[in-house]
Amino acid sequence: MSRVYNFSAGPAVLPEEVLQAAADEMMDYKGTGMSVMEMSHRSKPFEEIITEAEADLRDLMEIPDNYKVLFLQGGASQQFAAIPMNLMKNGVADYIITGQWAKKAAQEAEKYGKVNRIASSEDKVFSYIPDCSDLPIDDNADYVYICENNTIYGTKYKELPNTKGKILVADVSSCFLSEPVDVTKYGVIYGGVQKNIGPAGTVIVIIREDLIRDDVFPGTPTMLKYKTQADAKSLYNTPPAYGIYICGKVFKWLKKMGGLEAMKERNEKKAKLLYDFLDQSQLFKGTVVKEDRSLMNVPFVTGNEELDAKFVKEAKAAGLENLKGHRTVGGMRASIYNAMPYEGVEALVAFMKKFEEENL
Amino acid sequence: MSRVYNFSAGPAVLPEEVLQAAADEMMDYKGTGMSVMEMSHRSKPFEEIITEAEADLRDLMEIPDNYKVLFLQGGASQQFAAIPMNLMKNGVADYIITGQWAKKAAQEAEKYGKVNRIASSEDKVFSYIPDCSDLPIDDNADYVYICENNTIYGTKYKELPNTKGKILVADVSSCFLSEPVDVTKYGVIYGGVQKNIGPAGTVIVIIREDLIRDDVFPGTPTMLKYKTQADAKSLYNTPPAYGIYICGKVFKWLKKMGGLEAMKERNEKKAKLLYDFLDQSQLFKGTVVKEDRSLMNVPFVTGNEELDAKFVKEAKAAGLENLKGHRTVGGMRASIYNAMPYEGVEALVAFMKKFEEENL
């Protein structure tokens, strides 16, 4: 077995010890004589898996009792519909556009009500987070929507928007569990797990209880109604059981690593190594304004497309995988999620140094 | 490692060699240096996985070129909404009610149009399939809906309904790939994979191309629109990648076993062993009329609740797991899907014999 350093934006690197434990338990989960994949979702062993996963997540994020934790399917893209379907009472919502995913979320919400795009950073290819201290929040807005970490563009809100008392809804897919979070500041925090937590196919929605309503948008599918899922504790139908099992193992790994404070330190240290190198490099350049830089996704360019392509190719040959940037930004992107070890970023920076010497 | 015989109705037993291969590849899939869980869904190795999975499924089921194969999320329950949202043009559909899942599908469809329940077997706890040779099909019906194998009640359509020219839509979750099927008789065949194919979290929809429309029910979420998913080849957003990978391995296993004709023979042989025993037993009795018996789900009772409970408990102690029947039928249920070996049914029948001797 030879593992690479995998800088994929998602699905992405997972902790080796989690994968190893999953492999070890594949044929026989803890003496049950079966794989977790083969287990009834109504069985006692699976009930323990999902209950512990939720309890560990609540511990890690210090989720208050008046918030529900839902393990759902369909990814963030399905939540783009579920959120307005469930939360629009007045039929109005304010969206802050900081990248492709916020944009898509806003487009989808327009099917269900009036959408105000109250700020955007599209003028500069989403390379910054707009000033959100005094935005024109609609008096009737049912919520204010953000994508908190922008995977493609490498930006992150360092301060949450001033929503002037309105509910904040945040897609945290690419910064989930990367640092401590004050859940009470949000009405809904949600994200696909396939970047920082587990395998694709599970989306976690953390929602304040009073926002779970019965009088949703007419025609809302039962499966997309938060009330259905909350009442059934995510077991209205068969959940993505194996994915939830892997997420649970990652939660335990995070607790063992010291929790979200420790992850934040570790992530800052990794990001600093890469950003410090970029800031002094003659060849490579970060694409994001410094104060809005993500700890998770680091896009950079040489300014020369051919050289970018050469870099990605040679990096791959050196065991540094998936460094190609998104087509809308070009160049490179290193996603350095929780499970990326410091050594992976060291190896990347050492490779970049060598490449710079050879190609400048 | 000690494996049990797992008679769970779903999630359910998977082929041991598939699980073993998944365990072996967990840390490093075919020299990529990463797990399939860590792999970008846009990467070449995953593209190969999903492309091969679809090709193998097409081979197995002989799916004509004018049908699309979609790998989706949300289970059958989400399809209960997606089907009427996508297929109702006239806003009318006919449902045949042969169990809880058909009933739920009909209820959900009522959100989107007029639902005619044109036949039902609810009068006898769904223990038979109604005569469907001459039903009052609505002239305006956009489709006729069935649940082809009824997991809870253990019935199966041996002949498809006469739809009088209307499109047939079938939920085949619990008989998926258990025997050959003539795809051309259906407009849509779909099912959750967690009974006969793979881990929970993937639903496969096989749909005739001309039924994929742009003018769906107003407010249909983008993710629930078949056109979105068909145009993007199931990669509109991140799919349940690991689940698709396991399904692909099961397809290869099925081909190696001889395909669906061979599975049918094998399944008939297993079911015959159990049904023949039931038919001569003084203690146990099948709950379904003989001509509608499922090859996959076999409910039976002793007629004495305490004895049923004793049976389930002692069977479990003997390594025969998950034999408790659904609460609406009571008694026991043995689900003997593709991956259940003949030896598992032999062990069950031997145990039943012994139990009968001891308790009659």
Side-chain angles (χ1 to χ4, degrees):
Chain A
M1 179 200 81
S2 158
R3 301 258 305 163
V4 296
Y5 288 122
N6 176 12
F7 295 94
S8 173
V13 57
L14 289 169
E16 271 191 27
E17 61 184 87
V18 165
L19 294 172
Q20 192 57 64
D24 293 344
E25 292 171 353
M26 184 65 84
M27 307 303 291
D28 179 8
Y29 174 74
K30 297 190 177 174
T32 57
M34 61 184 84
S35 170
V36 173
M37 289 190 207
E38 302 176 295
M39 214 168 255
S40 165
H41 57 297
R42 311 274 180 211
S43 68
K44 214 174 158 71
F46 185 74
E47 199 186 297
E48 280 172 22
I49 288 170
I50 192 168
T51 304
E52 266 189 50
E54 179 175 335
D56 285 333
L57 182 62
R58 284 185 176 276
D59 268 9
L60 282 166
M61 292 180 74
E62 298 177 25
I63 300 173
D65 286 345
N66 64 326
Y67 284 74
K68 294 281 188 197
V69 174
L70 310 176
F71 295 96
L72 307 178
Q73 298 185 59
S77 295
Q78 192 157 302
Q79 294 306 312
F80 296 169
I83 286 161
M85 284 179 134
N86 282 275
L87 299 188
M88 275 187 176
K89 264 199 289 199
N90 303 328
V92 183
D94 291 345
Y95 279 70
I96 302 175
I97 311 298
T98 54
Q100 183 183 309
W101 299 110
K103 215 170 150 174
K104 282 204 176 186
Q107 273 164 12
E108 187 79 356
E110 280 180 325
K111 289 184 180 168
Y112 311 105
K114 184 182 162 211
V115 168
N116 306 307
R117 291 168 178 80
I118 54 172
S120 168
S121 53
E122 194 162 14
D123 58 337
K124 293 182 181 162
V125 201
F126 300 119
S127 57
Y128 69 102
I129 299 290
D131 177 359
C132 298
S133 58
D134 185 20
L135 294 172
I137 308 286
D138 194 311
D139 281 344
N140 288 316
D142 291 308
Y143 58 88
V144 176
Y145 183 99
I146 63 169
C147 179
E148 192 161 332
N149 186 84
N150 295 280
T151 323
I152 296 176
Y153 305 97
T155 60
K156 162 105 194 332
Y157 286 79
K158 297 301 160 80
E159 214 171 305
L160 294 175
N162 173 4
T163 63
K164 301 180 180 173
K166 300 296 181 191
I167 304 283
L168 181 64
V169 175
D171 173 358
V172 297
S173 296
S174 52
C175 60
F176 225 150
L177 303 180
S178 62
E179 57 185 294
V181 54
D182 182 352
V183 173
T184 64
K185 291 188 173 161
Y186 303 79
V188 180
I189 312 185
Y190 81 96
V193 305
Q194 73 276 8
K195 295 174 187 294
N196 223 350
I197 306 182
T202 301
V203 57
I204 298 175
V205 175
I206 301 161
I207 178 168
R208 222 176 60 201
E209 272 173 358
D210 61 293
L211 301 175
I212 299 173
R213 296 157 51 223
D214 204 32
D215 57 328
V216 296
F217 188 83
T220 299
T222 303
M223 282 287 291
L224 268 67
K225 201 170 150 177
Y226 293 140
K227 189 166 190 323
T228 311
Q229 303 285 1
D231 288 352
K233 297 186 175 184
S234 308
L235 296 173
Y236 174 73
N237 74 339
T238 320
Y242 197 76
I244 294 169
Y245 155 74
I246 299 289
C247 291
K249 284 197 179 301
V250 171
F251 300 153
K252 292 216 184 290
W253 177 78
L254 288 168
K255 288 176 88 169
K256 203 186 79 179
M257 296 289 286
L260 301 192
E261 275 296 353
M263 288 318 292
K264 184 187 182 196
E265 261 178 58
R266 189 179 128 113
N267 287 328
E268 282 176 343
K269 202 177 144 208
K270 287 187 295 183
K272 185 174 188 314
L273 182 64
L274 183 47
Y275 284 125
D276 281 354
F277 174 75
L278 286 173
D279 288 342
Q280 61 72 51
S281 170
Q282 307 283 302
L283 180 63
F284 299 103
K285 174 166 125 257
T287 60
V288 168
V289 302
K290 286 191 186 180
E291 56 274 25
D292 298 329
R293 282 170 164 175
S294 165
L295 291 180
M296 296 286 102
N297 311 98
V298 183
F300 55 95
V301 294
T302 65
N304 174 332
E305 276 183 39
E306 275 175 47
L307 207 55
D308 288 348
K310 188 180 176 207
F311 177 86
V312 170
K313 195 178 161 194
E314 292 184 4
K316 185 178 164 72
L320 307 166
E321 285 266 2
N322 292 317
L323 283 162
K324 191 166 189 270
H326 191 271
R327 62 190 148 67
T328 56
V329 178
M332 282 71 68
R333 174 179 46 175
S335 293
I336 50 178
Y337 296 118
N338 282 344
M340 173 59 65
Y342 187 77
E343 294 70 32
V345 185
E346 277 184 325
L348 172 62
V349 168
F351 181 83
M352 289 169 79
K353 268 186 194 152
K354 186 169 150 280
F355 188 88
E356 179 163 342
E357 281 160 22
E358 289 167 2
N359 292 279
L360 196 64
Chain B
M1 182 199 79
S2 157
R3 301 260 303 164
V4 296
Y5 288 122
N6 176 12
F7 295 94
S8 172
V13 58
L14 289 169
E16 271 192 26
E17 60 183 89
V18 165
L19 294 173
Q20 192 58 64
D24 293 345
E25 291 171 352
M26 185 65 85
M27 307 303 290
D28 179 8
Y29 174 75
K30 296 190 177 175
T32 57
M34 60 184 86
S35 170
V36 172
M37 290 191 207
E38 303 176 293
M39 216 169 255
S40 166
H41 56 298
R42 311 277 179 207
S43 67
K44 215 175 158 65
F46 185 72
E47 199 186 296
E48 280 171 25
I49 287 170
I50 193 169
T51 304
E52 267 189 51
E54 180 177 335
D56 285 333
L57 181 63
R58 284 184 176 277
D59 269 8
L60 281 166
M61 293 181 72
E62 299 178 25
I63 301 174
D65 286 345
N66 65 327
Y67 284 73
K68 294 282 187 196
V69 174
L70 309 177
F71 295 96
L72 306 179
Q73 299 185 57
S77 295
Q78 192 158 303
Q79 293 306 312
F80 295 170
I83 287 162
M85 285 180 134
N86 281 275
L87 299 189
M88 274 189 177
K89 266 200 287 200
N90 303 330
V92 182
D94 291 346
Y95 280 70
I96 302 176
I97 311 298
T98 54
Q100 182 181 312
W101 299 110
K103 214 170 153 176
K104 281 203 175 187
Q107 274 163 11
E108 186 78 357
E110 281 181 324
K111 290 185 181 169
Y112 311 105
K114 184 180 161 212
V115 168
N116 305 309
R117 290 167 179 80
I118 55 172
S120 168
S121 53
E122 193 162 13
D123 58 338
K124 293 182 182 163
V125 202
F126 300 117
S127 58
Y128 69 103
I129 298 289
D131 177 358
C132 298
S133 59
D134 184 21
L135 294 172
I137 308 286
D138 194 312
D139 282 345
N140 288 317
D142 291 309
Y143 58 89
V144 176
Y145 182 100
I146 62 168
C147 179
E148 194 162 331
N149 186 83
N150 296 281
T151 322
I152 295 175
Y153 305 97
T155 59
K156 164 102 191 341
Y157 286 80
K158 298 299 160 79
E159 213 171 307
L160 294 176
N162 174 3
T163 63
K164 302 181 179 173
K166 301 295 182 190
I167 303 285
L168 180 64
V169 175
D171 173 357
V172 297
S173 297
S174 52
C175 60
F176 225 151
L177 303 179
S178 62
E179 56 186 294
V181 53
D182 181 353
V183 175
T184 64
K185 291 188 173 160
Y186 303 79
V188 179
I189 312 185
Y190 80 96
V193 304
Q194 74 276 7
K195 295 174 189 295
N196 224 350
I197 306 183
T202 301
V203 57
I204 298 175
V205 176
I206 301 161
I207 178 168
R208 221 176 60 201
E209 271 172 0
D210 61 293
L211 301 175
I212 299 172
R213 298 155 51 222
D214 204 31
D215 57 328
V216 296
F217 187 82
T220 299
T222 303
M223 283 287 291
L224 268 68
K225 202 170 150 176
Y226 292 139
K227 191 168 190 320
T228 310
Q229 302 286 0
D231 288 352
K233 297 185 172 185
S234 307
L235 296 173
Y236 174 73
N237 74 338
T238 319
Y242 197 76
I244 294 168
Y245 155 75
I246 299 290
C247 291
K249 284 195 180 301
V250 171
F251 299 154
K252 291 213 183 293
W253 176 78
L254 288 168
K255 288 176 88 169
K256 203 185 80 180
M257 297 288 286
L260 301 192
E261 275 297 353
M263 289 320 292
K264 183 186 182 196
E265 262 178 57
R266 188 178 130 114
N267 288 327
E268 282 175 344
K269 202 177 145 209
K270 286 187 296 183
K272 187 174 187 313
L273 182 64
L274 183 48
Y275 284 125
D276 281 354
F277 174 75
L278 286 173
D279 287 343
Q280 63 72 50
S281 170
Q282 307 282 304
L283 181 63
F284 299 102
K285 169 167 128 262
T287 59
V288 168
V289 303
K290 285 191 188 181
E291 56 275 26
D292 298 329
R293 281 171 166 175
S294 165
L295 292 180
M296 298 284 101
N297 311 98
V298 183
F300 54 94
V301 295
T302 65
N304 175 332
E305 275 182 41
E306 272 174 48
L307 208 54
D308 288 348
K310 187 180 178 209
F311 177 85
V312 170
K313 194 179 162 192
E314 292 184 8
K316 185 179 162 74
L320 306 167
E321 286 267 1
N322 293 315
L323 282 162
K324 190 165 190 269
H326 192 272
R327 64 191 146 66
T328 56
V329 179
M332 283 70 70
R333 173 180 46 175
S335 293
I336 50 177
Y337 295 118
N338 282 344
M340 173 59 66
Y342 186 76
E343 294 72 30
V345 185
E346 277 184 324
L348 172 62
V349 169
F351 181 82
M352 289 169 78
K353 268 185 195 154
K354 187 170 149 278
F355 188 88
E356 179 163 342
E357 281 161 22
E358 290 168 4
N359 292 278
L360 196 62

